[in-house]
Amino acid sequence: MADPFGFAPALIDRMRTARRVVVLTGAGVSAESGVPTFRDALTGLWATFDPRELATPSAFARNPKLVWDWYAQRRAQVATVSPNAGHRALAELEERVPHFLLVTQNVDGLHARAGSRALVELHGNIARVRCSRDDQIVEHWDERNDALPPRCPACGSFLRPDVVWFEEMLPADAIERAESAARDCDLMLVAGTSGEVYPAAALPHYARAAGARVVEINPNATPLSGLAHDTLRGASAIVLPALVRAAWPQEAT
Ligand code: OAD
């Protein structure tokens, strides 16, 4: 069962021959692991929670404990889930192409746990915590104070999750690495993202302008669908392994 999806031969050919591959992922790739997305109408986090109250610097300034607790809850939830077949297929793809970069908007750390190494976590990682004053990563903290977030052991400022909030800049090294790879790739896979949040959503445009074949993997249409050469409508945990198997059938694991 090499290719149950009937992928375009030109796509499979590009998978096999591409020298520089960039993959952009979003919350949808972790859906099968049980991590909620943000914008899906009924199940997305932003359907239930207001991002302005939870994911902005001003929300943290207004109500640091509410923000801390929301992320602490998500951190605990992410610790209970596992990478799925889509994450694993991307780790395998990395082994098969000469130059590879996986750019994720996800903060759940599942790509790294699946074995991806050339990885840019554009929006940070929810497992990490940093000082809200000088951004130093803190390994151990004390959750005991009920009314306020834990404090930095060095300076006493509140600790915060090491994620990017709305209204904040992305880490410069992360976005530079992602942009320069996107501007110089011959294949880009865009999986499980609504393509609503910039600058991540600009990356497929750069890839397309550079002459790359752009492939969207998403059960639903997005603003990026129009620029994709291939729109593979399905769950990434199904489509990504099938795509890798279709390109390298003789080496089935
Ligand atoms: P969204 O929640 O905006 O989009 C999730 C996408 O995944 C949608 O297009 C769904 O159709 C698709 N999807 C759902 N289930 C899927 C599945 N099983 N397989 C493949 N795709 C599936 O999530 P993101 O695009 O990641 O930022 O959101 C971007 C950023 O907005 C996030 O990183 C976060 C959020 O606010 C910050 O927190 C800074």
Side-chain angles (χ1 to χ4, degrees), residues 25-29 31-32 37-40 46 55 71 105-106 123 164-166 191-197 217-222 234-237:
T25 66
V29 296
E32 270 87 16
T37 62
F38 294 94
R39 291 178 186 74
D40 282 294
W46 298 156
Y71 279 93
Q105 299 164 86
N106 299 344
H123 293 167
V164 177
W165 284 329
F166 291 102
T193 180
S194 61
E196 305 261 357
V197 173
I217 298 108
N218 197 313
N220 303 302
T222 75
S236 54

mmCIF file of all heavy atoms in Angstrom, residues 25-29 31-32 37-40 46 55 71 105-106 123 164-166 191-197 217-222 234-237, ligand 1:
data_model
loop_
_atom_site.group_PDB
_atom_site.id
_atom_site.type_symbol
_atom_site.label_atom_id
_atom_site.label_comp_id
_atom_site.label_asym_id
_atom_site.label_seq_id
_atom_site.Cartn_x
_atom_site.Cartn_y
_atom_site.Cartn_z
ATOM 1 N N THR A 25 5.011 23.788 10.580
ATOM 2 C CA THR A 25 3.882 23.121 11.233
ATOM 3 C C THR A 25 3.177 24.053 12.205
ATOM 4 O O THR A 25 3.748 25.026 12.707
ATOM 5 C CB THR A 25 4.306 21.845 12.011
ATOM 6 O OG1 THR A 25 5.140 22.220 13.110
ATOM 7 C CG2 THR A 25 5.012 20.849 11.116
ATOM 8 N N GLY A 26 1.909 23.698 12.458
ATOM 9 C CA GLY A 26 1.102 24.403 13.452
ATOM 10 C C GLY A 26 0.355 23.398 14.302
ATOM 11 O O GLY A 26 0.592 22.179 14.222
ATOM 12 N N ALA A 27 -0.572 23.927 15.075
ATOM 13 C CA ALA A 27 -1.243 23.139 16.109
ATOM 14 C C ALA A 27 -1.892 21.859 15.578
ATOM 15 O O ALA A 27 -1.991 20.865 16.304
ATOM 16 C CB ALA A 27 -2.283 24.004 16.809
ATOM 17 N N GLY A 28 -2.321 21.863 14.314
ATOM 18 C CA GLY A 28 -3.006 20.686 13.757
ATOM 19 C C GLY A 28 -2.164 19.427 13.786
ATOM 20 O O GLY A 28 -2.712 18.318 13.886
ATOM 21 N N VAL A 29 -0.830 19.556 13.699
ATOM 22 C CA VAL A 29 -0.009 18.330 13.700
ATOM 23 C C VAL A 29 -0.030 17.641 15.067
ATOM 24 O O VAL A 29 0.303 16.463 15.160
ATOM 25 C CB VAL A 29 1.471 18.541 13.250
ATOM 26 C CG1 VAL A 29 1.574 18.995 11.818
ATOM 27 C CG2 VAL A 29 2.215 19.450 14.180
ATOM 28 N N ALA A 31 -2.858 17.595 16.882
ATOM 29 C CA ALA A 31 -4.260 17.284 17.197
ATOM 30 C C ALA A 31 -4.428 15.800 17.546
ATOM 31 O O ALA A 31 -5.087 15.455 18.535
ATOM 32 C CB ALA A 31 -5.170 17.675 16.029
ATOM 33 N N GLU A 32 -3.804 14.926 16.757
ATOM 34 C CA GLU A 32 -3.940 13.484 17.021
ATOM 35 C C GLU A 32 -3.216 13.048 18.290
ATOM 36 O O GLU A 32 -3.410 11.934 18.758
ATOM 37 C CB GLU A 32 -3.449 12.643 15.837
ATOM 38 C CG GLU A 32 -4.537 12.335 14.826
ATOM 39 C CD GLU A 32 -4.682 13.425 13.800
ATOM 40 O OE1 GLU A 32 -3.751 14.250 13.711
ATOM 41 O OE2 GLU A 32 -5.706 13.462 13.117
ATOM 42 N N THR A 37 -6.099 22.599 19.223
ATOM 43 C CA THR A 37 -5.621 23.668 18.345
ATOM 44 C C THR A 37 -6.106 25.010 18.903
ATOM 45 O O THR A 37 -6.717 25.060 19.983
ATOM 46 C CB THR A 37 -6.148 23.469 16.914
ATOM 47 O OG1 THR A 37 -7.574 23.534 16.956
ATOM 48 C CG2 THR A 37 -5.697 22.137 16.324
ATOM 49 N N PHE A 38 -5.848 26.084 18.174
ATOM 50 C CA PHE A 38 -6.265 27.417 18.636
ATOM 51 C C PHE A 38 -7.557 27.886 17.976
ATOM 52 O O PHE A 38 -8.445 28.409 18.628
ATOM 53 C CB PHE A 38 -5.155 28.449 18.363
ATOM 54 C CG PHE A 38 -3.935 28.190 19.174
ATOM 55 C CD1 PHE A 38 -2.886 27.452 18.667
ATOM 56 C CD2 PHE A 38 -3.847 28.647 20.478
ATOM 57 C CE1 PHE A 38 -1.763 27.187 19.423
ATOM 58 C CE2 PHE A 38 -2.729 28.384 21.254
ATOM 59 C CZ PHE A 38 -1.679 27.649 20.723
ATOM 60 N N ARG A 39 -7.660 27.708 16.644
ATOM 61 C CA ARG A 39 -8.739 28.364 15.913
ATOM 62 C C ARG A 39 -9.818 27.439 15.387
ATOM 63 O O ARG A 39 -10.717 27.894 14.703
ATOM 64 C CB ARG A 39 -8.147 29.200 14.755
ATOM 65 C CG ARG A 39 -7.391 30.384 15.259
ATOM 66 C CD ARG A 39 -6.743 31.237 14.200
ATOM 67 N NE ARG A 39 -5.935 32.249 14.863
ATOM 68 C CZ ARG A 39 -4.772 32.002 15.462
ATOM 69 N NH1 ARG A 39 -4.249 30.796 15.434
ATOM 70 N NH2 ARG A 39 -4.122 32.978 16.077
ATOM 71 N N ASP A 40 -9.746 26.148 15.641
ATOM 72 C CA ASP A 40 -10.842 25.284 15.179
ATOM 73 C C ASP A 40 -12.106 25.696 15.936
ATOM 74 O O ASP A 40 -12.074 25.940 17.156
ATOM 75 C CB ASP A 40 -10.472 23.799 15.349
ATOM 76 C CG ASP A 40 -9.518 23.341 14.242
ATOM 77 O OD1 ASP A 40 -9.965 23.320 13.087
ATOM 78 O OD2 ASP A 40 -8.336 23.069 14.518
ATOM 79 N N TRP A 46 -8.874 29.165 21.400
ATOM 80 C CA TRP A 46 -9.375 30.542 21.311
ATOM 81 C C TRP A 46 -10.900 30.600 21.127
ATOM 82 O O TRP A 46 -11.495 31.666 21.089
ATOM 83 C CB TRP A 46 -8.673 31.328 20.209
ATOM 84 C CG TRP A 46 -7.190 31.532 20.352
ATOM 85 C CD1 TRP A 46 -6.322 31.766 19.323
ATOM 86 C CD2 TRP A 46 -6.382 31.592 21.547
ATOM 87 N NE1 TRP A 46 -5.048 31.920 19.793
ATOM 88 C CE2 TRP A 46 -5.033 31.823 21.152
ATOM 89 C CE3 TRP A 46 -6.644 31.445 22.918
ATOM 90 C CZ2 TRP A 46 -3.982 31.923 22.070
ATOM 91 C CZ3 TRP A 46 -5.584 31.541 23.821
ATOM 92 C CH2 TRP A 46 -4.299 31.773 23.407
ATOM 93 N N ALA A 55 -2.638 35.663 26.645
ATOM 94 C CA ALA A 55 -1.433 35.488 25.832
ATOM 95 C C ALA A 55 -0.911 36.822 25.334
ATOM 96 O O ALA A 55 -0.533 36.963 24.167
ATOM 97 C CB ALA A 55 -1.729 34.541 24.664
ATOM 98 N N TYR A 71 -0.958 28.632 31.681
ATOM 99 C CA TYR A 71 0.176 27.955 31.030
ATOM 100 C C TYR A 71 0.632 26.749 31.842
ATOM 101 O O TYR A 71 1.048 25.733 31.274
ATOM 102 C CB TYR A 71 1.328 28.940 30.783
ATOM 103 C CG TYR A 71 1.080 29.769 29.539
ATOM 104 C CD1 TYR A 71 0.459 31.007 29.614
ATOM 105 C CD2 TYR A 71 1.407 29.280 28.285
ATOM 106 C CE1 TYR A 71 0.192 31.748 28.471
ATOM 107 C CE2 TYR A 71 1.145 30.012 27.131
ATOM 108 C CZ TYR A 71 0.540 31.248 27.236
ATOM 109 O OH TYR A 71 0.260 31.957 26.101
ATOM 110 N N GLN A 105 5.351 26.301 14.886
ATOM 111 C CA GLN A 105 4.747 27.332 15.743
ATOM 112 C C GLN A 105 4.317 26.728 17.067
ATOM 113 O O GLN A 105 3.855 27.437 17.954
ATOM 114 C CB GLN A 105 3.515 27.927 15.044
ATOM 115 C CG GLN A 105 3.834 28.590 13.728
ATOM 116 C CD GLN A 105 2.574 28.808 12.898
ATOM 117 O OE1 GLN A 105 1.883 29.809 13.057
ATOM 118 N NE2 GLN A 105 2.278 27.865 12.031
ATOM 119 N N ASN A 106 4.462 25.413 17.175
ATOM 120 C CA ASN A 106 3.955 24.738 18.373
ATOM 121 C C ASN A 106 4.929 24.872 19.537
ATOM 122 O O ASN A 106 6.144 24.833 19.353
ATOM 123 C CB ASN A 106 3.705 23.257 18.076
ATOM 124 C CG ASN A 106 2.665 23.084 16.991
ATOM 125 O OD1 ASN A 106 1.940 24.031 16.686
ATOM 126 N ND2 ASN A 106 2.598 21.914 16.405
ATOM 127 N N HIS A 123 7.684 29.914 18.309
ATOM 128 C CA HIS A 123 6.909 30.543 19.379
ATOM 129 C C HIS A 123 7.328 30.079 20.767
ATOM 130 O O HIS A 123 6.602 30.268 21.736
ATOM 131 C CB HIS A 123 5.408 30.285 19.161
ATOM 132 C CG HIS A 123 4.861 30.974 17.933
ATOM 133 N ND1 HIS A 123 3.633 30.687 17.381
ATOM 134 C CD2 HIS A 123 5.391 31.949 17.152
ATOM 135 C CE1 HIS A 123 3.435 31.447 16.309
ATOM 136 N NE2 HIS A 123 4.488 32.214 16.145
ATOM 137 N N VAL A 164 6.151 32.901 22.994
ATOM 138 C CA VAL A 164 5.921 34.234 22.421
ATOM 139 C C VAL A 164 4.436 34.564 22.563
ATOM 140 O O VAL A 164 3.579 33.763 22.187
ATOM 141 C CB VAL A 164 6.330 34.240 20.925
ATOM 142 C CG1 VAL A 164 6.022 35.585 20.299
ATOM 143 C CG2 VAL A 164 7.813 33.909 20.787
ATOM 144 N N TRP A 165 4.153 35.738 23.112
ATOM 145 C CA TRP A 165 2.764 36.175 23.226
ATOM 146 C C TRP A 165 2.423 37.113 22.078
ATOM 147 O O TRP A 165 3.319 37.669 21.419
ATOM 148 C CB TRP A 165 2.578 36.916 24.564
ATOM 149 C CG TRP A 165 2.521 35.998 25.750
ATOM 150 C CD1 TRP A 165 2.043 34.717 25.779
ATOM 151 C CD2 TRP A 165 2.953 36.290 27.087
ATOM 152 N NE1 TRP A 165 2.139 34.200 27.045
ATOM 153 C CE2 TRP A 165 2.682 35.139 27.868
ATOM 154 C CE3 TRP A 165 3.504 37.408 27.723
ATOM 155 C CZ2 TRP A 165 2.972 35.077 29.226
ATOM 156 C CZ3 TRP A 165 3.789 37.347 29.071
ATOM 157 C CH2 TRP A 165 3.524 36.195 29.822
ATOM 158 N N PHE A 166 1.139 37.291 21.848
ATOM 159 C CA PHE A 166 0.710 38.323 20.907
ATOM 160 C C PHE A 166 1.347 39.640 21.331
ATOM 161 O O PHE A 166 1.531 39.890 22.532
ATOM 162 C CB PHE A 166 -0.817 38.470 20.920
ATOM 163 C CG PHE A 166 -1.521 37.282 20.340
ATOM 164 C CD1 PHE A 166 -2.117 36.334 21.154
ATOM 165 C CD2 PHE A 166 -1.576 37.085 18.962
ATOM 166 C CE1 PHE A 166 -2.758 35.220 20.621
ATOM 167 C CE2 PHE A 166 -2.216 35.975 18.416
ATOM 168 C CZ PHE A 166 -2.796 35.049 19.251
ATOM 169 N N ALA A 191 2.005 22.094 7.285
ATOM 170 C CA ALA A 191 1.083 21.110 7.882
ATOM 171 C C ALA A 191 0.430 21.642 9.147
ATOM 172 O O ALA A 191 1.100 22.133 10.056
ATOM 173 C CB ALA A 191 1.852 19.825 8.213
ATOM 174 N N GLY A 192 -0.904 21.558 9.184
ATOM 175 C CA GLY A 192 -1.637 21.810 10.425
ATOM 176 C C GLY A 192 -1.595 23.232 10.927
ATOM 177 O O GLY A 192 -1.679 23.456 12.132
ATOM 178 N N THR A 193 -1.488 24.191 10.014
ATOM 179 C CA THR A 193 -1.553 25.583 10.457
ATOM 180 C C THR A 193 -2.639 26.327 9.703
ATOM 181 O O THR A 193 -2.842 26.092 8.514
ATOM 182 C CB THR A 193 -0.198 26.324 10.314
ATOM 183 O OG1 THR A 193 -0.372 27.685 10.771
ATOM 184 C CG2 THR A 193 0.330 26.327 8.887
ATOM 185 N N SER A 194 -3.311 27.234 10.422
ATOM 186 C CA SER A 194 -4.371 28.024 9.789
ATOM 187 C C SER A 194 -3.789 29.129 8.915
ATOM 188 O O SER A 194 -4.529 29.778 8.177
ATOM 189 C CB SER A 194 -5.274 28.635 10.863
ATOM 190 O OG SER A 194 -4.508 29.491 11.686
ATOM 191 N N GLY A 195 -2.489 29.385 9.033
ATOM 192 C CA GLY A 195 -1.873 30.420 8.205
ATOM 193 C C GLY A 195 -2.378 31.815 8.516
ATOM 194 O O GLY A 195 -2.373 32.707 7.675
ATOM 195 N N GLU A 196 -2.794 32.012 9.746
ATOM 196 C CA GLU A 196 -3.373 33.311 10.135
ATOM 197 C C GLU A 196 -2.362 34.180 10.863
ATOM 198 O O GLU A 196 -2.593 35.372 11.043
ATOM 199 C CB GLU A 196 -4.553 33.087 11.094
ATOM 200 C CG GLU A 196 -5.637 32.172 10.588
ATOM 201 C CD GLU A 196 -6.809 32.942 10.021
ATOM 202 O OE1 GLU A 196 -6.779 34.175 10.082
ATOM 203 O OE2 GLU A 196 -7.727 32.282 9.506
ATOM 204 N N VAL A 197 -1.297 33.579 11.368
ATOM 205 C CA VAL A 197 -0.412 34.314 12.269
ATOM 206 C C VAL A 197 0.928 34.580 11.582
ATOM 207 O O VAL A 197 1.601 33.655 11.135
ATOM 208 C CB VAL A 197 -0.213 33.528 13.591
ATOM 209 C CG1 VAL A 197 0.822 34.190 14.474
ATOM 210 C CG2 VAL A 197 -1.539 33.424 14.332
ATOM 211 N N ILE A 217 -0.831 20.399 3.969
ATOM 212 C CA ILE A 217 -1.462 19.219 4.562
ATOM 213 C C ILE A 217 -2.401 19.731 5.652
ATOM 214 O O ILE A 217 -1.950 20.228 6.690
ATOM 215 C CB ILE A 217 -0.409 18.254 5.165
ATOM 216 C CG1 ILE A 217 0.519 17.739 4.051
ATOM 217 C CG2 ILE A 217 -1.079 17.079 5.869
ATOM 218 C CD1 ILE A 217 1.892 18.308 4.090
ATOM 219 N N ASN A 218 -3.687 19.652 5.401
ATOM 220 C CA ASN A 218 -4.655 20.234 6.323
ATOM 221 C C ASN A 218 -6.038 19.729 5.905
ATOM 222 O O ASN A 218 -6.346 19.736 4.718
ATOM 223 C CB ASN A 218 -4.605 21.777 6.220
ATOM 224 C CG ASN A 218 -5.266 22.477 7.398
ATOM 225 O OD1 ASN A 218 -6.369 22.119 7.792
ATOM 226 N ND2 ASN A 218 -4.587 23.467 7.943
ATOM 227 N N PRO A 219 -6.860 19.300 6.853
ATOM 228 C CA PRO A 219 -8.201 18.856 6.455
ATOM 229 C C PRO A 219 -9.049 19.994 5.899
ATOM 230 O O PRO A 219 -10.033 19.757 5.198
ATOM 231 C CB PRO A 219 -8.813 18.303 7.752
ATOM 232 C CG PRO A 219 -7.876 18.624 8.847
ATOM 233 C CD PRO A 219 -6.584 19.099 8.282
ATOM 234 N N ASN A 220 -8.662 21.236 6.218
ATOM 235 C CA ASN A 220 -9.469 22.399 5.816
ATOM 236 C C ASN A 220 -8.667 23.357 4.956
ATOM 237 O O ASN A 220 -7.441 23.424 5.066
ATOM 238 C CB ASN A 220 -9.956 23.143 7.068
ATOM 239 C CG ASN A 220 -10.753 22.237 7.988
ATOM 240 O OD1 ASN A 220 -11.760 21.678 7.567
ATOM 241 N ND2 ASN A 220 -10.288 22.070 9.212
ATOM 242 N N ALA A 221 -9.387 24.136 4.147
ATOM 243 C CA ALA A 221 -8.739 25.179 3.350
ATOM 244 C C ALA A 221 -8.278 26.306 4.275
ATOM 245 O O ALA A 221 -8.865 26.545 5.337
ATOM 246 C CB ALA A 221 -9.711 25.719 2.318
ATOM 247 N N THR A 222 -7.205 26.973 3.876
ATOM 248 C CA THR A 222 -6.671 28.091 4.661
ATOM 249 C C THR A 222 -6.296 29.215 3.694
ATOM 250 O O THR A 222 -6.284 29.004 2.474
ATOM 251 C CB THR A 222 -5.389 27.687 5.427
ATOM 252 O OG1 THR A 222 -4.296 27.623 4.485
ATOM 253 C CG2 THR A 222 -5.522 26.355 6.136
ATOM 254 N N GLY A 234 -6.393 16.128 4.676
ATOM 255 C CA GLY A 234 -6.501 15.021 5.621
ATOM 256 C C GLY A 234 -5.718 15.357 6.872
ATOM 257 O O GLY A 234 -5.056 16.399 6.961
ATOM 258 N N ALA A 235 -5.803 14.465 7.843
ATOM 259 C CA ALA A 235 -5.085 14.654 9.102
ATOM 260 C C ALA A 235 -3.598 14.403 8.870
ATOM 261 O O ALA A 235 -3.229 13.438 8.188
ATOM 262 C CB ALA A 235 -5.629 13.704 10.151
ATOM 263 N N SER A 236 -2.773 15.237 9.466
ATOM 264 C CA SER A 236 -1.330 15.109 9.218
ATOM 265 C C SER A 236 -0.777 13.788 9.748
ATOM 266 O O SER A 236 0.193 13.262 9.191
ATOM 267 C CB SER A 236 -0.569 16.287 9.817
ATOM 268 O OG SER A 236 -0.877 16.417 11.172
ATOM 269 N N ALA A 237 -1.384 13.231 10.785
ATOM 270 C CA ALA A 237 -0.888 11.951 11.325
ATOM 271 C C ALA A 237 -1.111 10.813 10.337
ATOM 272 O O ALA A 237 -0.485 9.761 10.440
ATOM 273 C CB ALA A 237 -1.566 11.634 12.660
HETATM 274 P P1 OAD B 1 -4.639 27.125 14.479
HETATM 275 O O1 OAD B 1 -5.494 26.598 15.593
HETATM 276 O O2 OAD B 1 -4.838 28.532 14.068
HETATM 277 O O3 OAD B 1 -4.851 26.206 13.186
HETATM 278 C C1 OAD B 1 -4.826 24.823 13.285
HETATM 279 C C2 OAD B 1 -4.954 24.263 11.887
HETATM 280 O O4 OAD B 1 -4.816 22.862 11.956
HETATM 281 C C3 OAD B 1 -6.301 24.549 11.200
HETATM 282 O O5 OAD B 1 -6.089 25.044 9.892
HETATM 283 C C4 OAD B 1 -6.972 23.175 11.157
HETATM 284 O O6 OAD B 1 -7.769 23.002 9.970
HETATM 285 C C5 OAD B 1 -5.763 22.280 11.114
HETATM 286 N N1 OAD B 1 -5.994 20.930 11.642
HETATM 287 C C6 OAD B 1 -6.890 20.512 12.566
HETATM 288 N N2 OAD B 1 -6.761 19.205 12.788
HETATM 289 C C7 OAD B 1 -5.743 18.771 11.993
HETATM 290 C C8 OAD B 1 -5.114 17.508 11.775
HETATM 291 N N3 OAD B 1 -5.502 16.428 12.436
HETATM 292 N N4 OAD B 1 -4.105 17.441 10.880
HETATM 293 C C9 OAD B 1 -3.706 18.544 10.206
HETATM 294 N N5 OAD B 1 -4.258 19.760 10.381
HETATM 295 C C10 OAD B 1 -5.259 19.870 11.260
HETATM 296 O O7 OAD B 1 -3.132 26.833 14.902
HETATM 297 P P2 OAD B 1 -1.802 27.517 14.356
HETATM 298 O O8 OAD B 1 -1.889 27.767 12.895
HETATM 299 O O9 OAD B 1 -0.679 26.705 14.870
HETATM 300 O O10 OAD B 1 0.530 31.429 18.706
HETATM 301 O O11 OAD B 1 -1.826 28.888 15.119
HETATM 302 C C11 OAD B 1 -0.750 29.756 14.972
HETATM 303 C C12 OAD B 1 -0.461 30.455 16.274
HETATM 304 O O12 OAD B 1 -1.647 31.092 16.755
HETATM 305 C C13 OAD B 1 -0.077 29.546 17.414
HETATM 306 O O13 OAD B 1 1.307 29.219 17.415
HETATM 307 C C14 OAD B 1 -0.421 30.363 18.613
HETATM 308 C C15 OAD B 1 -1.774 30.848 18.186
HETATM 309 O O14 OAD B 1 -2.228 31.997 18.776
HETATM 310 C C16 OAD B 1 0.954 31.845 19.895
HETATM 311 O O15 OAD B 1 0.558 31.354 20.934
HETATM 312 C C17 OAD B 1 1.962 32.932 19.797
#
